[in-house]
Amino acid sequence: MSAQSNSHWDRRTLLRAAAGLAVAAPLAACGSNNGRGGGGSGKQLQQYFHAYGEAGVEQAVKRYAKAYSKAGVSTQWITGADYETKLFAALLTQQAPDVFEFHPQIQLVKSGQVADLTDIIEPVKDDFNPADIASHSYDGKIYGVRMIDDPQFLFYRKSMLQKANVAVPTTLEELIEAAAKLTTPKVKGLFLGNDLHAVEAPLIWSAGAETLTAKNEIGYHTDGVVEGLRQLRKLFTSGSLLLDAPADFWDPSAISQGLCAIQFCGMWAMPVMQQALGDDLGVLPFPKVGSKGRPSVYNGGWSMFVNAKGGDVDAAKEYVKWLWIDQKQYQEDFATSYGFHIPPRTSIAARADKLKSGLPAEGVKLFNTYGHFDNIGWTQAMWSAWDSVIADCVRKGGDPEAALDKADRTVGRELKKLFG
């Protein structure tokens, strides 16, 4: 359940194109529309999900909806790379979904698009990971229910490191050296995704910086981040980085098919990797960058939101409360039966036996120790600005300071718009 579809797009690309809110898309193209619940009350609700890559997720989502007795719930299962485009286009129409999955984004709050869910979350708030509550909160209110936490790591082939006499890297410099030693005519040392965008935020955090400060000011423009960008450029030109994998970082095929020795990917892919590689698999955080750095683990994931402009907001909130707060067995099933994810609820995570030993337990430990969550104030335009930083100074070899100065202008404009 990789929070990716099986087409080639990464989970954060979803965050970026929402600037195109006015794009119109025919809703008939959105995917299947079954999985309707009982609906004895005559009420009808529609929920939007993007097409998860792992088998069984769609059936599970529709099974949960069918079990709901207070309204008929239809599911739009949206395949392809354009979930976000279709979602935001639909939100502008009369056919908008009542409930949809997405990521915490301040624009959705400020535009009045998502409903305040504080009243349904407050009674169980202490059972949620505090960071999940914080990343969905603005001005004292909570605007989404986290469904799954999706930590992302570097996975490595133990036997390949052993054969090349390479120690598990703890710094970005060591990772670059390891990648060089692990590269052979047939295998690249490292895969960080085809465009490197997946490691933008980990690079910032591992350099000891933040995307935004607690005061919603630029936090990423530091000497450590500049050094990290220079090191990434060195890696990009080294010949030891896999840059043309058949699928992007979210798909485990690069490491499981032997195309690379180390791959950046998510916990969701662990079962598939383990099936292919057995015990020959280790996991480590994104390594520290520079002297002020620290390892980091990016926590992706998905959350459920209620359309504040929908036809029956109260009925939609009642459904979200039923499924994502009351039905703990469904929440555990969703998190652990279709790939591995960490349940955001402490009580559910505590009983998730599949995550208690071996590699999954190591992943949970790294998540708890080094995890970083999305900042609700970090917008699509800010992500795009950072895409340009990677393009300008890593892919094209430009000056990191100049690339960051350019990003600062975009991010600064956004911050002024949002926070004055």
PDB file of all heavy atoms in Angstrom, residues 256-280:
ATOM      1  N   SER A 256      15.435  -5.025  -5.350  1.00  0.00           N
ATOM      2  CA  SER A 256      15.042  -6.440  -5.323  1.00  0.00           C
ATOM      3  C   SER A 256      15.453  -7.166  -6.599  1.00  0.00           C
ATOM      4  O   SER A 256      15.642  -8.375  -6.607  1.00  0.00           O
ATOM      5  CB  SER A 256      13.540  -6.596  -5.055  1.00  0.00           C
ATOM      6  OG  SER A 256      12.781  -5.965  -6.049  1.00  0.00           O
ATOM      7  N   GLN A 257      15.630  -6.416  -7.700  1.00  0.00           N
ATOM      8  CA  GLN A 257      16.081  -7.036  -8.953  1.00  0.00           C
ATOM      9  C   GLN A 257      17.590  -6.905  -9.165  1.00  0.00           C
ATOM     10  O   GLN A 257      18.101  -7.240 -10.236  1.00  0.00           O
ATOM     11  CB  GLN A 257      15.329  -6.414 -10.139  1.00  0.00           C
ATOM     12  CG  GLN A 257      13.845  -6.759 -10.153  1.00  0.00           C
ATOM     13  CD  GLN A 257      13.079  -6.066 -11.269  1.00  0.00           C
ATOM     14  OE1 GLN A 257      13.682  -5.472 -12.172  1.00  0.00           O
ATOM     15  NE2 GLN A 257      11.765  -6.132 -11.209  1.00  0.00           N
ATOM     16  N   GLY A 258      18.275  -6.394  -8.138  1.00  0.00           N
ATOM     17  CA  GLY A 258      19.733  -6.352  -8.213  1.00  0.00           C
ATOM     18  C   GLY A 258      20.312  -5.236  -9.055  1.00  0.00           C
ATOM     19  O   GLY A 258      21.461  -5.303  -9.488  1.00  0.00           O
ATOM     20  N   LEU A 259      19.550  -4.169  -9.295  1.00  0.00           N
ATOM     21  CA  LEU A 259      20.062  -3.042 -10.075  1.00  0.00           C
ATOM     22  C   LEU A 259      20.954  -2.130  -9.243  1.00  0.00           C
ATOM     23  O   LEU A 259      21.741  -1.361  -9.782  1.00  0.00           O
ATOM     24  CB  LEU A 259      18.905  -2.221 -10.658  1.00  0.00           C
ATOM     25  CG  LEU A 259      17.901  -2.953 -11.544  1.00  0.00           C
ATOM     26  CD1 LEU A 259      16.833  -1.984 -12.026  1.00  0.00           C
ATOM     27  CD2 LEU A 259      18.606  -3.600 -12.724  1.00  0.00           C
ATOM     28  N   CYS A 260      20.790  -2.198  -7.900  1.00  0.00           N
ATOM     29  CA  CYS A 260      21.591  -1.349  -7.011  1.00  0.00           C
ATOM     30  C   CYS A 260      21.825  -2.086  -5.695  1.00  0.00           C
ATOM     31  O   CYS A 260      21.127  -3.050  -5.378  1.00  0.00           O
ATOM     32  CB  CYS A 260      20.889  -0.017  -6.748  1.00  0.00           C
ATOM     33  SG  CYS A 260      19.311  -0.185  -5.884  1.00  0.00           S
ATOM     34  N   ALA A 261      22.797  -1.605  -4.932  1.00  0.00           N
ATOM     35  CA  ALA A 261      23.114  -2.209  -3.637  1.00  0.00           C
ATOM     36  C   ALA A 261      22.366  -1.525  -2.496  1.00  0.00           C
ATOM     37  O   ALA A 261      22.066  -2.142  -1.473  1.00  0.00           O
ATOM     38  CB  ALA A 261      24.617  -2.148  -3.383  1.00  0.00           C
ATOM     39  N   ILE A 262      22.065  -0.230  -2.667  1.00  0.00           N
ATOM     40  CA  ILE A 262      21.358   0.561  -1.653  1.00  0.00           C
ATOM     41  C   ILE A 262      20.257   1.346  -2.363  1.00  0.00           C
ATOM     42  O   ILE A 262      20.504   1.944  -3.415  1.00  0.00           O
ATOM     43  CB  ILE A 262      22.305   1.551  -0.933  1.00  0.00           C
ATOM     44  CG1 ILE A 262      23.507   0.826  -0.315  1.00  0.00           C
ATOM     45  CG2 ILE A 262      21.565   2.337   0.145  1.00  0.00           C
ATOM     46  CD1 ILE A 262      24.569   1.763   0.277  1.00  0.00           C
ATOM     47  N   GLN A 263      19.063   1.349  -1.791  1.00  0.00           N
ATOM     48  CA  GLN A 263      17.950   2.095  -2.389  1.00  0.00           C
ATOM     49  C   GLN A 263      17.173   2.871  -1.341  1.00  0.00           C
ATOM     50  O   GLN A 263      16.849   2.353  -0.276  1.00  0.00           O
ATOM     51  CB  GLN A 263      16.976   1.155  -3.122  1.00  0.00           C
ATOM     52  CG  GLN A 263      15.728   1.899  -3.634  1.00  0.00           C
ATOM     53  CD  GLN A 263      14.735   1.043  -4.383  1.00  0.00           C
ATOM     54  OE1 GLN A 263      15.024  -0.083  -4.769  1.00  0.00           O
ATOM     55  NE2 GLN A 263      13.548   1.582  -4.611  1.00  0.00           N
ATOM     56  N   PHE A 264      16.845   4.112  -1.672  1.00  0.00           N
ATOM     57  CA  PHE A 264      15.910   4.890  -0.852  1.00  0.00           C
ATOM     58  C   PHE A 264      14.497   4.453  -1.218  1.00  0.00           C
ATOM     59  O   PHE A 264      14.115   4.442  -2.386  1.00  0.00           O
ATOM     60  CB  PHE A 264      16.091   6.384  -1.126  1.00  0.00           C
ATOM     61  CG  PHE A 264      15.303   7.271  -0.199  1.00  0.00           C
ATOM     62  CD1 PHE A 264      15.764   7.527   1.082  1.00  0.00           C
ATOM     63  CD2 PHE A 264      14.105   7.855  -0.598  1.00  0.00           C
ATOM     64  CE1 PHE A 264      15.054   8.350   1.959  1.00  0.00           C
ATOM     65  CE2 PHE A 264      13.390   8.684   0.264  1.00  0.00           C
ATOM     66  CZ  PHE A 264      13.863   8.924   1.539  1.00  0.00           C
ATOM     67  N   CYS A 265      13.718   4.063  -0.198  1.00  0.00           N
ATOM     68  CA  CYS A 265      12.359   3.586  -0.452  1.00  0.00           C
ATOM     69  C   CYS A 265      11.583   3.686   0.862  1.00  0.00           C
ATOM     70  O   CYS A 265      12.081   4.236   1.841  1.00  0.00           O
ATOM     71  CB  CYS A 265      12.378   2.146  -0.976  1.00  0.00           C
ATOM     72  SG  CYS A 265      10.806   1.573  -1.668  1.00  0.00           S
ATOM     73  N   GLY A 266      10.362   3.176   0.874  1.00  0.00           N
ATOM     74  CA  GLY A 266       9.517   3.300   2.049  1.00  0.00           C
ATOM     75  C   GLY A 266       9.253   1.980   2.728  1.00  0.00           C
ATOM     76  O   GLY A 266       9.406   0.904   2.140  1.00  0.00           O
ATOM     77  N   MET A 267       8.817   2.074   3.968  1.00  0.00           N
ATOM     78  CA  MET A 267       8.505   0.893   4.766  1.00  0.00           C
ATOM     79  C   MET A 267       7.409   0.041   4.117  1.00  0.00           C
ATOM     80  O   MET A 267       7.348  -1.163   4.325  1.00  0.00           O
ATOM     81  CB  MET A 267       8.088   1.340   6.169  1.00  0.00           C
ATOM     82  CG  MET A 267       7.962   0.200   7.152  1.00  0.00           C
ATOM     83  SD  MET A 267       7.961   0.865   8.842  1.00  0.00           S
ATOM     84  CE  MET A 267       7.441  -0.587   9.737  1.00  0.00           C
ATOM     85  N   TRP A 268       6.553   0.719   3.306  1.00  0.00           N
ATOM     86  CA  TRP A 268       5.481  -0.010   2.634  1.00  0.00           C
ATOM     87  C   TRP A 268       6.014  -1.164   1.789  1.00  0.00           C
ATOM     88  O   TRP A 268       5.318  -2.150   1.567  1.00  0.00           O
ATOM     89  CB  TRP A 268       4.676   0.962   1.760  1.00  0.00           C
ATOM     90  CG  TRP A 268       5.469   1.654   0.696  1.00  0.00           C
ATOM     91  CD1 TRP A 268       5.803   1.157  -0.536  1.00  0.00           C
ATOM     92  CD2 TRP A 268       6.046   2.955   0.762  1.00  0.00           C
ATOM     93  NE1 TRP A 268       6.552   2.076  -1.239  1.00  0.00           N
ATOM     94  CE2 TRP A 268       6.711   3.192  -0.474  1.00  0.00           C
ATOM     95  CE3 TRP A 268       6.048   3.958   1.727  1.00  0.00           C
ATOM     96  CZ2 TRP A 268       7.387   4.389  -0.757  1.00  0.00           C
ATOM     97  CZ3 TRP A 268       6.724   5.146   1.441  1.00  0.00           C
ATOM     98  CH2 TRP A 268       7.375   5.350   0.227  1.00  0.00           C
ATOM     99  N   ALA A 269       7.251  -1.044   1.287  1.00  0.00           N
ATOM    100  CA  ALA A 269       7.804  -2.034   0.357  1.00  0.00           C
ATOM    101  C   ALA A 269       8.527  -3.175   1.055  1.00  0.00           C
ATOM    102  O   ALA A 269       8.982  -4.116   0.399  1.00  0.00           O
ATOM    103  CB  ALA A 269       8.754  -1.342  -0.616  1.00  0.00           C
ATOM    104  N   MET A 270       8.633  -3.123   2.381  1.00  0.00           N
ATOM    105  CA  MET A 270       9.390  -4.154   3.110  1.00  0.00           C
ATOM    106  C   MET A 270       8.948  -5.592   2.790  1.00  0.00           C
ATOM    107  O   MET A 270       9.794  -6.450   2.532  1.00  0.00           O
ATOM    108  CB  MET A 270       9.294  -3.921   4.615  1.00  0.00           C
ATOM    109  CG  MET A 270      10.400  -3.057   5.164  1.00  0.00           C
ATOM    110  SD  MET A 270      10.304  -3.021   6.982  1.00  0.00           S
ATOM    111  CE  MET A 270      11.489  -1.724   7.324  1.00  0.00           C
ATOM    112  N   PRO A 271       7.641  -5.896   2.822  1.00  0.00           N
ATOM    113  CA  PRO A 271       7.249  -7.289   2.564  1.00  0.00           C
ATOM    114  C   PRO A 271       7.710  -7.793   1.196  1.00  0.00           C
ATOM    115  O   PRO A 271       8.191  -8.922   1.076  1.00  0.00           O
ATOM    116  CB  PRO A 271       5.721  -7.256   2.653  1.00  0.00           C
ATOM    117  CG  PRO A 271       5.414  -6.096   3.535  1.00  0.00           C
ATOM    118  CD  PRO A 271       6.471  -5.081   3.200  1.00  0.00           C
ATOM    119  N   VAL A 272       7.606  -6.952   0.176  1.00  0.00           N
ATOM    120  CA  VAL A 272       8.023  -7.354  -1.175  1.00  0.00           C
ATOM    121  C   VAL A 272       9.538  -7.537  -1.223  1.00  0.00           C
ATOM    122  O   VAL A 272      10.050  -8.506  -1.796  1.00  0.00           O
ATOM    123  CB  VAL A 272       7.571  -6.301  -2.213  1.00  0.00           C
ATOM    124  CG1 VAL A 272       8.141  -6.614  -3.589  1.00  0.00           C
ATOM    125  CG2 VAL A 272       6.052  -6.240  -2.277  1.00  0.00           C
ATOM    126  N   MET A 273      10.271  -6.630  -0.584  1.00  0.00           N
ATOM    127  CA  MET A 273      11.730  -6.750  -0.538  1.00  0.00           C
ATOM    128  C   MET A 273      12.155  -8.016   0.195  1.00  0.00           C
ATOM    129  O   MET A 273      13.057  -8.742  -0.238  1.00  0.00           O
ATOM    130  CB  MET A 273      12.343  -5.536   0.168  1.00  0.00           C
ATOM    131  CG  MET A 273      12.327  -4.259  -0.636  1.00  0.00           C
ATOM    132  SD  MET A 273      13.312  -3.016   0.253  1.00  0.00           S
ATOM    133  CE  MET A 273      12.861  -1.538  -0.624  1.00  0.00           C
ATOM    134  N   GLN A 274      11.504  -8.277   1.321  1.00  0.00           N
ATOM    135  CA  GLN A 274      11.862  -9.457   2.115  1.00  0.00           C
ATOM    136  C   GLN A 274      11.554 -10.743   1.361  1.00  0.00           C
ATOM    137  O   GLN A 274      12.301 -11.718   1.461  1.00  0.00           O
ATOM    138  CB  GLN A 274      11.137  -9.424   3.463  1.00  0.00           C
ATOM    139  CG  GLN A 274      11.689  -8.365   4.408  1.00  0.00           C
ATOM    140  CD  GLN A 274      10.966  -8.348   5.745  1.00  0.00           C
ATOM    141  OE1 GLN A 274       9.747  -8.198   5.817  1.00  0.00           O
ATOM    142  NE2 GLN A 274      11.714  -8.503   6.823  1.00  0.00           N
ATOM    143  N   GLN A 275      10.469 -10.721   0.603  1.00  0.00           N
ATOM    144  CA  GLN A 275      10.118 -11.887  -0.203  1.00  0.00           C
ATOM    145  C   GLN A 275      11.209 -12.175  -1.231  1.00  0.00           C
ATOM    146  O   GLN A 275      11.567 -13.321  -1.492  1.00  0.00           O
ATOM    147  CB  GLN A 275       8.786 -11.626  -0.918  1.00  0.00           C
ATOM    148  CG  GLN A 275       8.095 -12.890  -1.386  1.00  0.00           C
ATOM    149  CD  GLN A 275       6.711 -12.590  -1.967  1.00  0.00           C
ATOM    150  OE1 GLN A 275       6.230 -11.458  -1.896  1.00  0.00           O
ATOM    151  NE2 GLN A 275       6.079 -13.589  -2.520  1.00  0.00           N
ATOM    152  N   ALA A 276      11.770 -11.097  -1.793  1.00  0.00           N
ATOM    153  CA  ALA A 276      12.796 -11.251  -2.830  1.00  0.00           C
ATOM    154  C   ALA A 276      14.178 -11.531  -2.254  1.00  0.00           C
ATOM    155  O   ALA A 276      14.950 -12.311  -2.813  1.00  0.00           O
ATOM    156  CB  ALA A 276      12.843  -9.990  -3.690  1.00  0.00           C
ATOM    157  N   LEU A 277      14.499 -10.918  -1.104  1.00  0.00           N
ATOM    158  CA  LEU A 277      15.879 -10.918  -0.615  1.00  0.00           C
ATOM    159  C   LEU A 277      16.065 -11.594   0.736  1.00  0.00           C
ATOM    160  O   LEU A 277      17.187 -11.728   1.214  1.00  0.00           O
ATOM    161  CB  LEU A 277      16.398  -9.477  -0.539  1.00  0.00           C
ATOM    162  CG  LEU A 277      16.343  -8.679  -1.845  1.00  0.00           C
ATOM    163  CD1 LEU A 277      16.714  -7.224  -1.605  1.00  0.00           C
ATOM    164  CD2 LEU A 277      17.254  -9.292  -2.894  1.00  0.00           C
ATOM    165  N   GLY A 278      14.964 -11.980   1.381  1.00  0.00           N
ATOM    166  CA  GLY A 278      15.073 -12.657   2.673  1.00  0.00           C
ATOM    167  C   GLY A 278      15.778 -11.809   3.713  1.00  0.00           C
ATOM    168  O   GLY A 278      15.490 -10.628   3.890  1.00  0.00           O
ATOM    169  N   ASP A 279      16.744 -12.408   4.384  1.00  0.00           N
ATOM    170  CA  ASP A 279      17.460 -11.714   5.470  1.00  0.00           C
ATOM    171  C   ASP A 279      18.606 -10.825   4.967  1.00  0.00           C
ATOM    172  O   ASP A 279      19.286 -10.193   5.772  1.00  0.00           O
ATOM    173  CB  ASP A 279      18.020 -12.733   6.469  1.00  0.00           C
ATOM    174  CG  ASP A 279      16.908 -13.446   7.223  1.00  0.00           C
ATOM    175  OD1 ASP A 279      15.824 -12.846   7.364  1.00  0.00           O
ATOM    176  OD2 ASP A 279      17.117 -14.596   7.648  1.00  0.00           O
ATOM    177  N   ASP A 280      18.812 -10.813   3.654  1.00  0.00           N
ATOM    178  CA  ASP A 280      19.926 -10.043   3.098  1.00  0.00           C
ATOM    179  C   ASP A 280      19.547  -8.572   2.928  1.00  0.00           C
ATOM    180  O   ASP A 280      19.791  -7.953   1.902  1.00  0.00           O
ATOM    181  CB  ASP A 280      20.341 -10.637   1.745  1.00  0.00           C
ATOM    182  CG  ASP A 280      21.629 -10.010   1.208  1.00  0.00           C
ATOM    183  OD1 ASP A 280      22.450  -9.544   2.031  1.00  0.00           O
ATOM    184  OD2 ASP A 280      21.801  -9.983  -0.027  1.00  0.00           O
TER     185      ASP A 280
END
